[in-house]
Amino acid sequence: MAEKRSTPTIEVRNATKHDVDAIIALSSKVFREEIGYTRGMILGQLSAFPEGQFVVVYEGDIVGYAATMILPEEKALAQHSWAEVTGGGYAAMHDRRGEWLYGTEVCVDPDRRRLRIGKRLYDARRRLCQDLDLKGIAFGGRIPGYRRNASRYPSADAYLDAIRAGEVKDPVASFHLAAGFEPVRVLENYYPRDEASRGFAALMVWRNPYYDPSRDDQPVNRGNPDVVRVVTVQMKARRIGQPQDFYDAVEYFVDVASEYGGDFVVFPELFTLMLLSCEAEELKPEAAIARLTEHTPDFVERLTAMAIRRNINIIGGSHATRTEAGAIQNLGYVFLRDGSVHVREKIHPTPNERQNWQIKGGDRVETIETDCGPIGVMICYDSEFPEVARRLTDQGARILFVPFNTDTRHGYLRVRYCCQARAIENQCYVVTSGMTGNLGNVDNLDIEYAQSAIFTPCDFPFARDGIAAEASENIEMVTVADLNLATLNWARYEGSVRNLRDRRLDLYRTRWSDGG
């Protein structure tokens, strides 16, 4: 089966000159009572620092814009006004020799507030700051709640102190604090036309945790050592009265993972079988597959929307369905936060899947490109075949996701031990997600055993037992871990053992049917 993928619905990319008219229209929509950006201003920003200007595109329309430049520390952190620091909006003060990424503007379409456009733009700035190895990000943030609270707080400094202490919520400054920015000082006369802030702003900063001030010669473009936060869901099989109950449960966990700042949330293999529990009677395998196939379009549409709305990549467990070619397959759907959907086949159906469900194995093992780098998906039994993980690793995957569904402890342990072996031999992370509980009226969900976990290689920088985190046995819960990709690189080149580099390719190798 050929790879299925859709085009991204939402995308964050660098702005180009072709976007100028759309950016101007957006700024006019956002700043309704003021004069928005002119063509000359946007062109000036693009000319000064093209890699620092970002747009968010949703269904072909530009719905967000962020402008940045680089400033020396003495300018970025000193008293200044918006006009001074931006050269009147043209980014004329941009200085590539500076140490701080300075945010001059963020525009978000007011009709698209639920897409987390602002968060996507701030995340793009953070990545750029880390890529350029700058000290951090600074900007003058509005404090629009000051005017209505001026009688309680006689100065802007007092009002900012109250925001810091949590005594008052400001619609903008409190958002910046929650997003990890630190208020340094009040900027006086920053933007005089901002009447709600009475012309003041809060100098907000975010300090790059990867910046090393002890190094005399900081490279301009070093590898980005992003930490990837993964959230694995150990989900309880529950009887539902209608399909909406299933999607409500899924969305609850997606929301939780998003609130924890997750980059990925992982669901178990065959978790969509719960959709069959609202049937009047238990369906035989052939009828069950037909019913699940009817659910497929709705399943894809709903989880795609969740990934976009909550700005998180969803590993959608697996879903047994009849494909367009007529074959019955156990498919893993991956919903990326850019709106694209990828489908991965279970390569090795179990004997039960083959005999009772007539499920056929797939014939493609490919990575998926994500905003956190390439990833791989192995569905349950696939993890017990080392060739699959090795091919995904050779293609660049550093995180392998394993949705599983096991009925007994010994079945679960087969998956667990093999996943730990895959993490060691490929020097990668392996994230597992399993089902717990039981459903008497759904075949294949009658009993479930799981202890979902996140595994690492076994070496000094990692957890001593090679377990970054794990769930309690047979309890519905989420498990969270931060996975440092730079640490994997160290292990592969400097570790106590170097499994990938020490392979004896002169003695053995795996040859795939496509020549790989």
Side-chain angles (χ1 to χ4, degrees):
M1 173 180 169
E3 176 190 356
K4 290 184 177 180
R5 77 180 298 274
S6 61
T7 57
T9 302
I10 190 165
E11 178 187 14
V12 182
R13 61 168 172 79
N14 285 115
T16 71
K17 292 181 179 180
H18 298 292
D19 301 320
V20 171
D21 289 339
I23 294 170
I24 292 171
L26 174 64
S27 71
S28 298
K29 185 176 183 180
V30 172
F31 307 118
R32 295 175 181 174
E33 299 178 1
E34 304 176 29
I35 299 175
Y37 279 101
T38 67
R39 173 176 291 274
M41 291 178 183
I42 304 298
L43 290 174
Q45 294 165 7
L46 291 172
S47 176
F49 187 30
E51 60 265 51
Q53 320 311 319
F54 300 98
V55 291
V56 177
V57 183
Y58 178 67
E59 295 183 339
D61 296 327
I62 289 180
V63 295
Y65 176 62
T68 64
M69 57 185 183
I70 297 175
L71 290 179
E73 183 167 309
E74 59 267 23
K75 284 188 177 180
L77 303 187
Q79 278 288 344
H80 59 263
S81 70
W82 182 86
E84 291 171 347
V85 83
T86 67
Y90 290 85
M93 299 296 109
H94 172 69
D95 184 348
R96 285 187 175 271
R97 297 168 298 176
E99 304 91 355
W100 286 81
L101 190 68
Y102 191 91
T104 61
E105 191 62 79
V106 170
C107 295
V108 175
D109 188 331
D111 297 329
R112 305 289 189 179
R113 295 291 186 187
R114 293 180 60 82
L115 296 175
R116 299 201 167 193
I117 296 166
K119 183 180 186 304
R120 295 173 194 270
L121 291 170
Y122 283 116
D123 287 347
R125 281 178 173 174
R126 284 190 174 98
R127 288 193 292 270
L128 178 63
C129 178
Q130 292 176 355
D131 283 345
L132 298 181
D133 211 6
L134 300 174
K135 286 187 176 181
I137 301 170
F139 60 86
R142 298 180 63 231
I143 47 174
Y146 180 48
R147 180 171 58 184
R148 70 171 180 270
N149 286 283
S151 60
R152 296 171 56 195
Y153 304 101
S155 70
D157 289 290
Y159 179 63
L160 185 58
D161 288 340
I163 296 171
R164 281 196 193 100
E167 297 174 7
V168 63
K169 291 284 187 182
D170 184 274
V172 175
S174 296
F175 165 77
H176 289 148
L177 265 66
F181 290 91
E182 166 195 351
V184 174
R185 62 157 57 92
V186 167
L187 297 173
E188 300 176 2
N189 202 34
Y190 183 75
Y191 197 73
R193 287 186 288 180
D194 182 3
E195 296 180 359
S197 303
R198 293 199 165 180
F200 293 102
L203 177 61
M204 294 285 183
V205 302
W206 173 82
R207 302 181 190 279
N208 180 3
Y210 299 110
Y211 178 78
D212 184 359
S214 67
R215 290 167 57 184
D216 295 330
D217 185 19
Q218 294 275 344
V220 175
N221 287 298
R222 67 177 175 84
N224 185 356
D226 280 346
V227 172
V228 178
R229 177 163 292 181
V230 296
V231 181
T232 179
V233 179
Q234 184 160 286
M235 197 170 187
K236 182 178 180 180
R238 48 171 57 78
R239 187 161 190 168
I240 60 175
Q242 57 184 343
Q244 184 62 45
D245 298 337
F246 168 75
Y247 292 111
D248 287 344
V250 172
E251 187 159 23
Y252 168 79
F253 287 114
V254 171
D255 288 350
V256 167
S258 177
E259 292 300 323
Y260 273 102
D263 294 296
F264 292 92
V265 58
V266 194
F267 288 94
E269 179 190 25
L270 296 175
F271 75 137
T272 58
L273 286 178
M274 281 188 277
L275 290 166
L276 301 180
S277 68
C278 58
E279 300 292 328
E281 59 184 23
E282 181 176 336
L283 300 178
K284 298 299 182 183
E286 184 176 354
I289 291 295
R291 191 73 183 97
L292 286 170
T293 302
E294 294 174 9
H295 283 290
T296 301
D298 193 38
F299 169 68
V300 173
E301 180 180 351
R302 285 173 178 262
L303 268 74
T304 299
M306 290 182 201
I308 294 173
R309 187 168 59 250
R310 301 304 292 179
N311 191 32
I312 192 169
N313 301 308
I314 301 174
I315 310 297
S318 79
H319 175 65
T321 186
R322 188 178 293 277
T323 68
E324 295 175 359
I328 299 172
Q329 289 193 295
N330 188 357
L331 300 178
Y333 286 83
V334 177
F335 307 90
L336 299 186
R337 51 187 163 198
D338 66 5
S340 63
V341 181
H342 302 254
V343 182
R344 289 297 180 266
E345 307 154 332
K346 186 171 186 177
I347 303 301
H348 304 90
T350 62
N352 175 267
E353 287 176 305
R354 292 197 306 271
Q355 295 165 11
N356 295 341
W357 291 76
Q358 305 303 307
I359 288 177
K360 298 186 180 302
D363 55 13
R364 289 177 61 87
V365 178
E366 306 292 343
T367 56
I368 298 171
E369 291 294 331
T370 77
D371 59 341
C372 299
I375 63 165
V377 175
M378 303 186 296
I379 302 174
C380 197
Y381 195 30
D382 287 340
S383 67
E384 299 178 30
F385 296 84
E387 300 88 354
V388 176
R390 180 54 55 83
R391 177 176 168 97
L392 292 169
T393 303
D394 282 343
Q395 291 180 353
R398 290 179 287 179
I399 305 176
L400 303 178
F401 294 97
V402 181
F404 70 91
N405 188 308
T406 51
D407 53 356
T408 63
R409 179 173 169 80
H410 62 258
Y412 158 71
L413 289 177
R414 282 196 299 269
V415 174
R416 181 188 180 99
Y417 293 154
C418 288
C419 286
Q420 289 186 282
R422 304 295 85 86
I424 292 171
E425 67 199 13
N426 293 293
Q427 295 182 290
C428 67
Y429 297 113
V430 179
V431 183
T432 68
S433 171
M435 294 278 288
T436 185
N438 58 79
L439 276 178
N441 68 329
V442 177
D443 193 16
N444 264 23
L445 284 185
D446 42 2
I447 58 172
E448 307 298 317
Y449 188 101
Q451 186 178 17
S452 306
I454 301 165
F455 301 117
T456 75
C458 290
D459 209 339
F460 294 115
F462 307 100
R464 184 179 63 179
D465 53 6
I467 303 171
E470 63 182 341
S472 301
E473 295 173 273
N474 295 326
I475 295 176
E476 184 173 68
M477 62 184 296
V478 300
T479 305
V480 185
D482 285 338
L483 306 181
N484 192 318
L485 303 184
T487 306
L488 284 183
N489 291 337
W490 176 91
R492 291 177 176 185
Y493 291 96
E494 302 291 338
S496 303
V497 293
R498 302 160 198 175
N499 304 69
L500 287 177
R501 298 184 68 189
D502 289 343
R503 285 179 285 176
R504 288 291 305 274
L505 297 179
D506 58 322
L507 294 179
Y508 59 86
R509 68 182 62 199
T510 302
R511 174 69 66 182
W512 288 78
S513 59
D514 64 359

